Each structure stands twice: as structure tokens, then as C-alpha cells.
Amino acid sequence: MTFKNWYAWLKQLQWSRKWFVILVLIRPIIDLFHGLKGVSPFLSPLYIVGVATPFLIIASSLSGKLKEKKSLEPDKLFFGFGILVFLNSALMLPLYFSLDVMGEVIKYISPIMLFFYLRRFINSYKDFEGILQTFLISCTVPYLMIFYEFFFNPIAFEYLAEGRGGAMRLQGGYADIMSYAIYILCGFISASYFFIKAAATEKPYIKTGIVFMAAILGLVAIKQVSSWGVFLCSLIIFSYFFSKKKQGFIFVILIATVIATVFAPEIYNTQINPLIEKEIAVAAGEKDVNYAFNGRMTRWNNYFSIWDEMPLYSKIFGVSTSGFDEVPVMTGLGMHSDYIRILFMTGVMGIIIYLLFFLSLMFKYPKLQTKDRYLLLASVVVVLLYSISTLPTLYMPMMYLILSTYAYYSLPLQYIYPKVLNEKAV
């Protein structure tokens, strides 16, 4: 999709869909004003967008402008998971009411509402491609900021502890480095999808090489071990699909050789090893297991001890039913793992339904074309890997892209390939 075609697509959208596209486009700029929340929540564009999003979804759904969709297996599973999120959120508000808790509850329910909104938004490949293109355009801001910080002058930075290498990592104008990481990784995945698609008719090798280098530059700047892990897995997946053609295979080998000989030793010694040597020491038995995951294991053990004391129904349906004082922490950002946060938030039943949702998406994988297999697999892997030590479902910019992907591949096959329904996927 050229910029001209993208702009024509955007212009013809009705307000019930246009607002979301504009939000995706300007979100990297909105996030730069996170500091205003310290002055007043009412002055923070980030807070305003967070509160407005559920209301815009509701207004769009009631407008009659969005098409109804037949409920499919992924929808049913995500709906079941969403019921448990809404149930626990509804219990949290009166029991632990504060402005902070209200803000957290909005974070919990927004991804659920967004998924079902996108299921009705995305009716065709053109809609899906338009959202992907919008996200790529929005990545221009963080990528330019990374370039400026890396080569000219840091905008904002933090120092790692000596035990993790003591290096400085850049975070730009964002609240944390995860905001940078989202655009680096999701931008890479989106661009890679278009490169695999283009490889069938043209040779997008120069563009691909530039995106490789830009992603590596960003990862060197932010120095986050989880993002390195996600990137390497995404790179392996991309290399597998991109190398299906002979020219692509040669290009992948060339890029891998350059990275392995020029960049890899320095990156590993200065970036990755200082961040993982503590984990290696834990695995080797040289340090206590509580030091694992950068010390997060201690926190997890403490809260699992509290979870053990809760009644059985709270373990099955979510900790908000327990009335324990620790509930807001156990369901929030402090868990540093989406698996654990979701387990506490929705109980054993919720985490099982959540994982079954991913499995239901992958049932369509064998029927998809190469480019779509790549994007679906990469979008699932990036969330599952990040969920080990971060909270990807609470970062809405990431959910804009990821949930759009899940919503698109939840469609019946005749919507994904309307002209080749009876043809074999390639």
C-alpha cells in the first residue's frame, strides 16, 4: 500500500473507525507527554486517551456503522477470558477504590474491548493493511528519536546497576524503555511482513537490510535483555520465511554472516552478557534461585505465598474475590510477568482460557500463505515471550498492532483470501 493509497483509505473511513487509525498514528507523540500526569491527570494526554478509548469503542459499537461478525472459536475464548477480567475489575473498584485503581481497571478492560472492536473494524485485507501501514508510519517518531539519541545527544537515560553491567541505556522522551522496545520490535515485525509479501514480485533487500540495522541500533540503545530475546526469535522466524526463495536465502545468509562477524561479539560482550550473567549463575547453582529474572523471583515467591492463603474460588476465578489487601498489587504492574498477573487477575480458569485463545489462532496457521504464517506466528511469539518478565497486554501501543493481527486472523478464510478461497495456500 503506497502512502497515496493509505491516505485515500483513511479519508474514506467513517468516524467510528477513523478515530482509531488517528490514535495509532499519533500515539508515539502522545506518549512523550507522560510527565504531565505528575502535574494533573486531567492535563495528561495519556490519561485522557486511556479514559476516552473505552468510551469511543462503546460509541462506535452503538453507532450502527460497524458490521456484525459471526462469533468464532477465538472470539468465544477471548470473551470467556474477558468476562473474568471484567468480573474481577468490577469487584476491585468498590473494594479498593482510588483514582489509581480506577486507572488500572481501565488498563485491564481496554484490551478486551479493543479486540472485539477490531473484530468489527477489520472486514478485509485492505482494512488490515491500512492499520499495519499506520503503525509503520507512527514508528517514524521513535526511530528518529533513537537515531538522534544514539548519534548526537541523549534525551533521557538511566544507568543499570553494576551487577547488570552498569551501562547507560536510552529511553528518549518515554516513561520507560519498554515504550521504545515496542516500536522497535513491532515496527520490525510489521516491516518484515511487507518485505516477505514484496519478495514474491520484487527484491526488497536494501529496505530489509536498513530495517535490520535500525532494529539492532535501537536494541543497542535500550539494553533490555527481554527485547534482545524477542528480537532474536523474531529474526529466526523471519529468516525462515524470507529464505523460502533462493534469493531470500542468500540474502539471509549474507546478513547473518555480517551480524555474526561484525556486530555479534561486541553486542554480546557489552550488551547481553552483563544482563544475563546473573541468570547464568542462578542456573549453574552459584546463586540462590531468588536472584532469577533480575531478582523478580523473590517478589513472585512472596505473592504466591499470599495466593496460597486465598480461598479455592479465588484461585479459580481471580484474586479480587478474596478481599485481600494485596489484590491491587497482584493484578497490576508490580508483578513484572503477564502470566503471573493474569493468573492472579483471572484465576486458573482465566489463564487456561487465555492460552487456549492462542492455540485457537494457530489452528488456522497451516491454511495461511507464507506472509500470513510469518505475521501470525511472530505476533503470538512476541506476546508469549514478553509475558515471561514484562506486561505486554498493558502496553496499548503494542496491543494496537497485535490485537489487529489477532482480529484479522480470527476472520473466516474467505475474508482473508476472498479470491483464492478454493486455491491451495502457498
Side-chain angles (χ1 to χ4, degrees):
M1 179 181 280
T2 64
F3 182 83
K4 182 179 179 180
N5 290 337
W6 170 81
Y7 185 67
W9 168 78
L10 175 61
K11 283 180 64 177
Q12 58 84 35
L13 290 178
Q14 295 178 320
W15 72 265
S16 58
R17 298 200 291 169
K18 185 176 290 186
W19 70 263
F20 175 71
V21 178
I22 293 173
L23 176 58
V24 174
L25 189 64
I26 66 174
R27 184 60 191 253
I29 300 173
I30 292 173
D31 286 348
L32 294 174
F33 295 93
H34 68 93
L36 288 177
K37 68 182 181 180
V39 180
S40 170
F42 302 103
L43 295 177
S44 171
L46 202 55
Y47 274 26
I48 294 169
V49 165
V51 173
T53 297
F55 289 100
L56 285 168
I57 291 174
I58 293 171
S60 301
S61 300
L62 295 176
S63 68
K65 305 292 185 181
L66 299 176
K67 291 184 178 180
E68 294 294 332
K69 285 289 185 295
K70 180 182 178 181
S71 182
L72 302 172
E73 200 60 34
D75 302 330
K76 296 172 184 176
L77 289 166
F78 207 77
F79 181 77
F81 171 68
I83 288 294
L84 291 169
V85 172
F86 272 84
L87 170 66
N88 282 273
S89 298
L91 289 172
M92 283 179 63
L93 274 177
L95 292 175
Y96 311 96
F97 183 80
S98 70
L99 287 178
D100 287 338
V101 169
M102 183 180 291
E104 294 301 299
V105 164
I106 291 173
K107 285 183 182 179
Y108 304 152
I109 65 174
S110 290
I112 309 297
M113 298 177 69
L114 183 61
F115 173 76
F116 289 105
Y117 166 75
L118 290 168
R119 281 287 285 112
R120 299 176 65 189
F121 180 119
I122 300 173
N123 300 310
S124 65
Y125 175 71
K126 187 175 183 181
D127 293 332
F128 180 54
E129 186 181 34
I131 293 175
L132 286 182
Q133 191 73 33
T134 303
F135 188 86
L136 273 176
I137 295 171
S138 77
C139 287
T140 304
V141 173
Y143 267 99
L144 286 176
M145 196 157 53
I146 288 171
F147 182 85
Y148 172 80
E149 285 202 288
F150 192 87
F151 289 105
F152 298 102
N153 187 50
I155 298 171
F157 55 86
E158 64 173 317
Y159 285 103
L160 294 169
E162 287 299 324
R164 304 186 67 213
M168 180 184 78
R169 58 184 183 186
L170 306 176
Q171 65 183 59
Y174 295 125
D176 55 42
I177 58 168
M178 188 62 187
S179 297
Y180 252 162
I182 286 168
Y183 290 107
I184 293 168
L185 270 299
C186 291
F188 170 76
I189 290 171
S190 303
S192 300
Y193 167 81
F194 285 114
F195 296 152
I196 292 173
K197 178 187 175 184
T201 56
E202 57 182 274
K203 299 177 180 179
Y205 304 128
I206 294 177
K207 294 178 182 178
T208 307
I210 292 172
V211 170
F212 274 148
M213 296 302 106
I216 291 174
L217 175 67
L219 292 168
V220 168
I222 66 173
K223 298 179 175 68
Q224 188 184 39
V225 67
S226 59
S227 293
W228 273 113
V230 172
F231 173 71
L232 291 174
C233 287
S234 301
L235 185 58
I236 290 170
I237 295 170
F238 170 74
S239 299
Y240 171 75
F241 287 104
F242 195 65
S243 62
K244 290 285 187 179
K245 293 184 177 294
K246 182 179 178 181
Q247 298 93 332
F249 177 78
I250 295 172
F251 175 78
V252 167
I253 293 297
L254 178 62
I255 287 291
T257 301
V258 172
I259 292 174
T261 56
V262 179
F263 296 103
E266 179 67 16
I267 288 173
Y268 179 80
N269 291 329
T270 63
Q271 296 275 319
I272 300 176
N273 187 57
L275 298 174
I276 66 171
E277 58 184 358
K278 189 185 296 182
E279 313 301 330
I280 295 173
V282 171
E286 298 172 5
K287 285 193 174 186
D288 189 271
V289 70
N290 285 328
Y291 287 96
F293 296 100
N294 194 31
R296 292 187 176 103
M297 188 64 74
T298 301
R299 172 178 288 261
W300 295 340
N301 285 337
N302 289 340
Y303 283 102
F304 267 110
S305 297
I306 297 170
W307 193 68
D308 287 339
E309 298 174 5
M310 293 181 176
L312 180 60
Y313 58 81
S314 296
K315 296 176 184 177
I316 295 175
F317 299 110
V319 298
S320 295
T321 60
S322 69
F324 277 47
D325 293 339
E326 294 84 1
V327 166
V329 178
M330 295 174 72
T331 59
L333 295 169
M335 287 301 98
H336 296 288
S337 168
D338 238 3
Y339 293 122
I340 294 174
R341 186 190 70 82
I342 290 171
L343 173 64
F344 290 159
M345 180 80 187
T346 61
V348 174
M349 182 175 288
I351 191 71
I352 291 174
I353 296 174
Y354 179 69
L355 295 175
L356 285 175
F357 167 75
F358 289 101
L359 186 61
S360 71
L361 286 174
M362 295 307 296
F363 278 139
K364 196 169 286 181
Y365 176 85
K367 303 175 184 178
L368 299 176
Q369 296 178 359
T370 299
K371 67 182 188 305
D372 299 301
R373 289 179 185 175
Y374 163 73
L375 185 57
L376 175 58
L377 183 58
S379 298
V380 168
V381 166
V382 72
V383 172
L384 294 181
L385 287 180
Y386 262 135
S387 294
I388 296 172
S389 59
T390 53
L391 307 164
T393 58
L394 297 187
Y395 283 90
M396 287 305 289
M398 184 176 187
M399 290 297 99
Y400 296 157
L401 176 74
I402 296 297
L403 291 179
S404 295
T405 302
Y406 295 167
Y408 179 63
Y409 293 119
S410 294
L411 288 169
L413 208 60
Q414 61 263 34
Y415 284 86
I416 300 174
Y417 306 122
K419 297 181 180 179
V420 293
L421 178 60
N422 297 319
E423 296 180 15
K424 182 180 178 183
V426 294

